[in-house]
Amino acid sequence: MLISWNWMSDFVDLDGIDPQEAAARLTLAGLEVAGIKQLCPPELKRVVSARITELRPHPEADKLSLCTVSDGSDELQIVCGARNMKAGDLVALAPVGTRLPNGMAIKKAKIRGIASTGMLCSAAELGLEEESAGIMILPPDLPLGEPVIDLLGIQDTILEFEITPNRGDCLSVIGVARELAAIYKRPFHLPEVKPEAAGKPVTELARIEIEDADLCPRYVGRVVENIVLGESPLWLKTRLQAAGVRAISNVVDVTNYVMLETGQPLHAFDLDLLRQRRIIVRRAGKDGKFTTLDGIERKIDPETLMICDGEGPVAIAGIMGGLNSEINDKTRNVLIESAFFVPASIRRSSRLLNLSTEASYRFERGVDPQATGRAAARAAELLQQLAQGRVADGELDICPDPTVQERAAIVFRPAQANRLLGLELGEGEVRDIFSRLRIGVAAAEDGKLTVVPPAWRFDLEREVDLIEEVARIYGYDRVPVSTPRIAVTEVLDDPETINLGCIRQLLARYGCCEAVNYSFIDEAAVAALGFPAGSRFHDFVRLQNPISTEMAVMRTTLLPGLLANLKNNLRVNVKDVRLFEIGRNFYRLEGEKQPSEELFLAGVFCGRRWCEHFSLADDKVDFFDLKGLLEELAETLRLKLTFTPGDFYACLTPGQAASLVHEDRVVGSIGRLHHRVASEVYDFEPEVFLFEIALEPLLQAAATTPVTYRGLPRYPAVYRDLAFLFDQNLPAAEVLDFIRGQHKLITEVEIFDVFQSESLPAGKKSLAFRLTFQDTNKTLTDKKVNAIIAKLIKGIEDRFQGEVR
C-alpha cells in the first residue's frame, strides 16, 4: 500500500520529521515500510515555469507553432505541436539537457528548418497523468523560472507499507497518520466535514432498507444532484497517482480518494438508474446471476449479500458494483453508499466469486463503523467542490443495530504489562500511551484500568493485545534485554514420536520423499477409487465454508492426495517416483460433534527399481518391493504383519494385491493400482503400486512391545535347500508359516526360487526354500538336521499335498 507524506500532513504536523526516520520507527511499531521513493524524479527539478511572450505559426508546417518563451532570465524559441496555448500563458518548460520520466532527453534540434531550444511539456510527459490533450497550462500568478513541481506542491515522498491482516485500520492515510501522531506525540487533527446542503431533503429523493442486518449493521446514503461529470483537478490526480490509482472522472476519483484517505470504501450509484430510487440490502436468494462493472456475468451464491434497487441487484455488497447502475456520461444525480459490512460475509463472498477488489480487501479486515457517515459527507463535500453538485439536505443513516459501533471494555493491569515486558512503567505513562492511541480509560480501581478500544481497532480484544500496544508505542528497541530464567529439565520424546521418526528414516532409506497434502479433498476423488458407498470412506466431515468444491470434505484416505502428487510429477516427466505421507484421516461419527481422527501411512511407487545407470538393471518396482518395505517397517516396530489375498481396496488389481493384517485385524491394503482407475481417472501409463496402513494400532502395539536382545551365536548354522511341487493357487505364505512353526531349531526360512513351466504337471508350481538351522548350546549334527527335515517333508506332504523334488 502506498501512502503520501504530504497527504498525511493534512492530519498531523510532520515538520521536522525525516521520512526515512519515520519509516524506521513505523516499522519498529509494527507497520512495516517496505520502501520509500519520490513521486517525481529529481530530473523534473529542471522543468521550470515560463511565459509565452509570442506565438506565431511555423512557416513550413501548418500543425506546428513557434513559441517565444521567457523563464525570467532568458528568452527561448520553442517549436510546439500543441494547440491549447496562447500568448501570455504560463507553461512548463523543459530546457535542453532535461531528461523526462519517460526517458526522453531534451536536445537542441531543428524542426522543419527552425531551431528549437527546449520543450513545452504536458502533464503526461511529466508523469503526472496517463494522457493529456495538450501542454500543461499553469496558474498565471506563479513566478517565472521556478521548478514546476515545487510551485504546484506535487513533489512528495511515498512510503510503501506491508500491512498485516490484523491492522485494517492502517489501510488509509488517516490510519497511518494516527500512528505517526502516537509515535511522535503530536496532535492528530481530523478536519470537520460539512457539505453545504442546498437541495431537497434526502428522504424525498431516495429510500434505504436493510433486510439482513446481521450482515450489514449500518448503511449510510448521501445524494448529490446536478453534478457535472469531468476531469479531476491536478492536485487530486496527483494524490491518486501517489497511491497508485488511475484517475478516471471526478465522481469516481472522489470515491477512490475518500477510500484512500479514510479507509472507508464508497460506491457511487447513478440515482436515476435505481428503480424506484430505492436501495434494499439483502441476501441474493434466488438472484442467481449478476453482471459486475467489469462486464463479467457472475454466478451468485444465495447467501451472498447484495445491494438491490426496487426490482433487483445493482451491486455485490462490499466487492463490486453492477453495470446496470454505473456512473456514465449521462449521470447527473448520484447516491453515495458508505456502509459497514460484516467482514466474514465479505470474505466468504469474495472467495466464492474469486473476486478481490480494493473495497473487499478493506471490508474483509474491518472498517470503522463510526466513520461511515463522515466518509459519505466527505465525498458529498468534494463532489460539491469538484463536480458543481448540489448536496441534498441530510443523510439516510440506517443502523438497525447501534451496538455494532461499540467496543467491549477490557481490564488492563499495568503490573502485568511490566512483568511481561520487563519494564517499570507507571500508570501515568500507560495512560499517556492509551491517550495517544485513542484508547479510552473508563475506570481505574485497585491497580486495574478498564479501557475501551476505539471503534476502528478490531484487533484489540484481550489484555495481551493492549500490552502489545504499550510495547510497540513505548518502543521495542527500548525494552531492556535480559537473559530469561529457565529451569533446565531433560525432555524425552514419547514412544510414538520416536517410532514415527524411525518410520520416516526407513522410508527415506528406501528412496522415498515425504509429501504433505491438504486435509481437504474432493469427495469425487474417493468415489473414483471405487470405495463402496456404504463404507467408512464415505463418512465425510463436510466443511461449512470450503475454499473450493474440490476441497469441500475432510479426507478419509491419503491416496487421492498422493495420486495427484504422482500425476503432477509424471506430467513434468519425472517418471521414477516414490512418495509417502503420514497424516490423519477424518471420519464422521453419528451423534458426535467431533469426528474420529486416525493416523495413517500411505505410499505410491512407480518407475525404476534402481536409479538410472549403465551398470544397473532396468527393472521396475513391483508388488514385492512394497511388501519388503512394509515387512521391514513391521520388523522395525518389533511387530508381525501378515499379507492376505482378500479384503483389499477396490482400486487395486486382484492377484497383485493383499490386505495387511496385524493381530487378526485388517489395518490396510497393498497392491497395484487397477488399470481402469490408472487410465480412466488419472491417465497413468506406467504401472503404479501403492499401500495405505493405519498406524495407530501399530504404534500402540510397538509402545508395549519390549525391546529384547540376543547374543551372537557361538556355534555354526546348518543350511538346507528343499523344493516342492504345489498346487499353483496355494499361497506361499501358508507354507512359510507352517515351516517356521515346525521346530525351534529352524531359525530362518526364505523362498529363493519360484518356477512354473509346461515341463511341470498341469496346475503345479515349484517353490524352493532355504532353511537355516542353529542351536545356541551345541553344534548341530547331520543326523539331527536330517531327522527334522524328514518330519518336515512328511508334514508338508500331508498338509499341502506337496511333492518333494
Side-chain angles (χ1 to χ4, degrees):
M1 184 186 68
L2 304 178
I3 296 291
S4 157
W5 186 262
N6 290 346
W7 201 344
M8 286 193 293
S9 65
D10 291 350
F11 307 100
V12 60
D13 181 11
L14 299 178
D15 288 346
I17 299 177
D18 178 60
Q20 292 282 353
E21 181 209 352
R25 294 191 64 175
L26 284 166
T27 299
L28 278 175
L31 301 184
E32 181 185 354
V33 179
I36 303 177
K37 65 178 182 180
Q38 297 299 311
L39 178 61
C40 300
E43 292 84 355
L44 283 189
K45 281 278 189 179
R46 294 176 59 92
V47 179
V48 298
S49 56
R51 192 175 303 280
I52 300 176
T53 58
E54 184 181 356
L55 180 67
R56 62 186 187 278
H58 191 293
E60 302 296 332
D62 295 339
K63 296 184 178 180
L64 298 178
S65 301
L66 295 181
C67 304
T68 302
V69 299
S70 171
D71 62 5
S73 58
D74 295 314
E75 281 199 347
L76 304 172
Q77 181 174 263
I78 310 290
V79 177
C80 182
R83 294 287 187 179
N84 65 316
M85 67 287 189
K86 63 182 183 300
D89 282 345
L90 204 63
V91 293
L93 168 66
V96 173
T98 303
R99 182 174 293 276
L100 299 179
N102 60 9
M104 179 188 294
I106 306 303
K107 301 177 181 179
K108 186 175 181 180
K110 277 193 174 183
I111 302 176
R112 294 291 185 95
I114 304 294
S116 181
T117 54
M119 178 177 174
L120 304 184
C121 301
S122 67
E125 288 161 339
L126 297 180
L128 304 178
E129 295 180 358
E130 288 195 359
E131 297 180 358
S132 297
I135 64 172
M136 177 183 285
I137 306 299
L138 303 175
D141 54 347
L142 298 179
L144 298 179
E146 297 294 326
V148 170
I149 58 176
D150 292 341
L151 292 175
L152 297 179
I154 55 177
Q155 181 57 291
D156 200 354
T157 300
I158 309 301
L159 278 63
E160 182 178 359
F161 287 87
E162 297 287 346
I163 303 297
T164 54
N166 65 315
R167 291 305 305 272
D169 61 296
C170 289
L171 293 172
S172 65
V173 174
I174 287 177
V176 178
R178 268 195 302 247
E179 290 290 305
L180 277 174
I183 292 170
Y184 283 95
K185 299 184 181 181
R186 297 198 175 188
F188 176 78
H189 172 63
L190 198 60
E192 187 177 6
V193 177
K194 279 191 174 181
E196 296 180 7
K200 298 178 182 178
V202 69
T203 53
E204 296 181 10
L205 300 174
R207 286 185 298 158
I208 296 175
E209 302 171 21
I210 299 178
E211 292 186 0
D212 289 302
D214 57 324
L215 302 184
C216 177
R218 189 180 186 192
Y219 192 105
V220 176
R222 278 272 191 172
V223 173
V224 182
E225 298 180 288
N226 297 334
I227 64 165
V228 178
L229 207 67
E231 283 193 29
S232 298
L234 181 62
W235 67 266
L236 193 147
K237 289 182 180 180
T238 304
R239 286 197 167 177
L240 291 179
Q241 182 191 21
V245 176
R246 180 174 63 91
I248 298 174
S249 68
N250 50 6
V251 176
V252 177
D253 293 348
V254 162
T255 59
N256 286 333
Y257 181 90
V258 175
M259 178 187 71
L260 295 169
E261 181 177 78
T262 66
Q264 170 67 53
L266 304 178
H267 186 70
F269 295 101
D270 186 322
L271 182 60
D272 298 319
L273 295 180
L274 294 179
R275 290 158 293 192
Q276 302 176 21
R277 291 202 165 200
R278 183 181 175 196
I279 287 288
I280 304 172
V281 185
R282 61 170 174 82
R283 286 176 168 86
K286 296 181 180 179
D287 298 324
K289 293 183 179 180
F290 179 69
T291 303
T292 46
L293 280 171
D294 53 8
I296 298 175
E297 185 178 71
R298 302 181 185 274
K299 184 178 180 181
I300 306 297
D301 182 81
E303 291 297 308
T304 296
L305 189 67
M306 302 295 291
I307 309 300
C308 306
D309 62 10
E311 297 182 17
V314 291
I316 304 174
I319 300 178
M320 186 178 285
L323 274 179
N324 56 354
S325 62
E326 71 169 332
I327 302 299
N328 56 71
D329 294 340
K330 299 180 180 178
T331 298
R332 292 295 174 266
N333 305 306
V334 298
L335 172 68
I336 302 167
E337 168 197 276
S338 179
F340 175 78
F341 301 115
V342 172
S345 169
I346 304 303
R347 191 179 306 117
R348 176 183 180 276
S349 299
S350 179
R351 298 297 182 276
L352 287 176
L353 291 165
N354 193 26
L355 178 61
S356 180
T357 61
E358 288 290 333
S360 68
Y361 186 78
R362 288 164 171 79
F363 279 125
E364 288 176 18
R365 287 155 178 77
V367 299
D368 182 1
Q370 294 182 359
T372 52
R374 185 185 185 280
R378 174 69 165 143
E381 181 182 61
L382 288 172
L383 287 178
Q384 189 176 57
Q385 297 170 4
L386 307 180
Q388 304 173 36
R390 187 175 66 221
V391 180
D393 187 18
E395 64 182 11
L396 297 169
D397 188 350
I398 312 301
C399 187
D401 183 13
T403 60
V404 72
Q405 303 181 52
E406 301 172 1
R407 298 300 312 280
I410 305 172
V411 175
F412 178 83
R413 297 166 292 171
Q416 173 72 351
N418 285 329
R419 187 181 70 82
L420 290 178
L421 300 176
L423 300 175
E424 295 181 358
L425 298 177
E427 183 179 312
E429 293 175 277
V430 172
R431 282 176 173 267
D432 175 61
I433 290 174
F434 286 166
S435 175
R436 286 147 57 188
L437 290 170
R438 305 295 193 275
I439 298 174
V441 178
E445 185 178 358
D446 298 331
K448 299 178 182 179
L449 302 178
T450 301
V451 303
V452 180
W456 57 83
R457 290 301 301 272
F458 292 93
D459 57 318
L460 302 183
E461 298 177 341
R462 302 171 298 168
E463 183 184 31
V464 290
D465 299 328
L466 297 172
I467 292 174
E468 182 183 4
E469 292 299 293
V470 171
R472 72 182 191 85
I473 298 301
Y474 178 79
Y476 290 121
D477 54 329
R478 296 174 61 193
V479 175
V481 178
S482 60
T483 303
R485 297 178 182 177
I486 58 173
V488 180
T489 57
E490 185 179 9
V491 179
L492 299 176
D493 286 334
D494 61 279
E496 180 176 313
T497 302
I498 294 172
N499 287 325
L500 284 174
C502 292
I503 292 171
R504 286 187 166 93
Q505 291 175 9
L506 170 65
L507 290 159
R509 290 200 302 271
Y510 267 74
C512 299
C513 296
E514 184 170 6
V516 180
N517 289 299
Y518 283 114
S519 299
F520 319 127
I521 61 171
D522 185 354
E523 60 182 293
V526 175
L529 292 177
F531 292 111
S535 67
R536 70 193 309 242
F537 293 98
H538 290 272
D539 291 337
F540 296 117
V541 178
R542 301 186 183 278
L543 303 182
Q544 291 184 350
N545 186 22
I547 298 173
S548 67
T549 55
E550 288 76 24
M551 305 178 78
V553 298
M554 303 293 284
R555 66 188 177 195
T556 54
T557 171
L558 301 176
L559 293 180
L562 287 173
L563 290 171
N565 298 148
L566 174 60
K567 184 174 183 178
N568 288 334
N569 278 276
L570 294 176
R571 180 173 52 82
V572 294
N573 208 33
V574 179
K575 298 180 179 179
D576 303 323
V577 179
R578 299 185 181 194
L579 291 174
F580 77 93
E581 181 171 11
I582 296 176
R584 296 193 178 276
N585 291 335
F586 303 83
Y587 305 95
R588 175 175 47 83
L589 297 175
E590 290 294 338
E592 299 290 337
K593 290 185 177 180
Q594 298 298 327
S596 171
E597 300 183 27
E598 300 176 20
L599 190 64
F600 276 75
L601 163 68
V604 293
F605 288 57
C606 81
R608 297 183 181 89
R609 174 174 291 128
W610 318 110
C611 62
E612 187 175 9
H613 193 270
F614 67 88
S615 65
L616 300 175
D618 195 26
D619 298 338
K620 306 296 183 182
V621 294
D622 59 21
F623 175 88
F624 296 101
D625 290 290
L626 274 69
K627 181 173 180 288
L629 168 61
L630 293 179
E631 286 175 336
E632 187 168 348
L633 183 149
E635 186 176 337
T636 300
L637 297 178
R638 307 175 300 284
L639 304 173
K640 181 175 176 57
L641 196 64
T642 57
F643 300 78
T644 60
D647 203 20
F648 47 78
Y649 287 176
C651 61
L652 301 179
T653 304
Q656 298 187 59
S659 58
L660 307 172
V661 180
H662 170 66
E663 295 182 351
D664 298 326
R665 174 185 172 185
V666 176
V667 293
S669 288
I670 177 177
R672 176 188 168 191
L673 185 65
H674 198 284
H675 66 86
R676 178 190 58 79
V677 178
S679 60
E680 296 179 8
V681 179
Y682 291 99
D683 196 25
F684 291 154
E685 291 184 6
E687 292 184 347
V688 176
F689 295 86
L690 55 84
F691 68 87
E692 184 172 40
I693 184 170
L695 284 181
E696 288 183 354
L698 305 186
L699 294 173
Q700 290 170 4
T704 58
T705 303
V707 179
T708 58
Y709 298 91
R710 184 174 59 185
L712 293 174
R714 296 174 57 192
Y715 302 97
V718 177
Y719 302 95
R720 291 286 190 273
D721 292 344
L722 293 175
F724 295 88
L725 286 178
F726 294 106
D727 185 279
Q728 64 181 7
N729 295 321
L730 177 67
E734 292 185 16
V735 184
L736 283 171
D737 289 341
F738 176 80
I739 295 174
R740 289 182 181 124
Q742 289 305 295
H743 203 282
K744 64 179 181 179
L745 294 181
I746 301 177
T747 58
E748 189 173 344
V749 183
E750 63 179 8
I751 297 175
F752 69 87
D753 184 54
V754 178
F755 179 68
Q756 288 180 287
S757 171
E758 295 179 356
S759 62
L760 297 178
K764 297 290 185 177
K765 67 181 176 182
S766 173
L767 297 179
F769 303 89
R770 177 158 294 156
L771 283 67
T772 302
F773 299 84
Q774 194 157 40
D775 193 329
T776 58
N777 298 315
K778 59 184 177 181
T779 302
L780 287 172
T781 64
D782 287 341
K783 182 179 179 181
K784 178 69 173 176
V785 172
N786 291 339
I788 297 173
I789 289 177
K791 182 180 178 182
L792 177 63
I793 291 173
K794 187 175 188 315
I796 290 177
E797 289 174 343
D798 294 342
R799 176 76 177 272
F800 302 106
Q801 291 75 50
E803 180 183 344
V804 69
R805 299 186 67 190

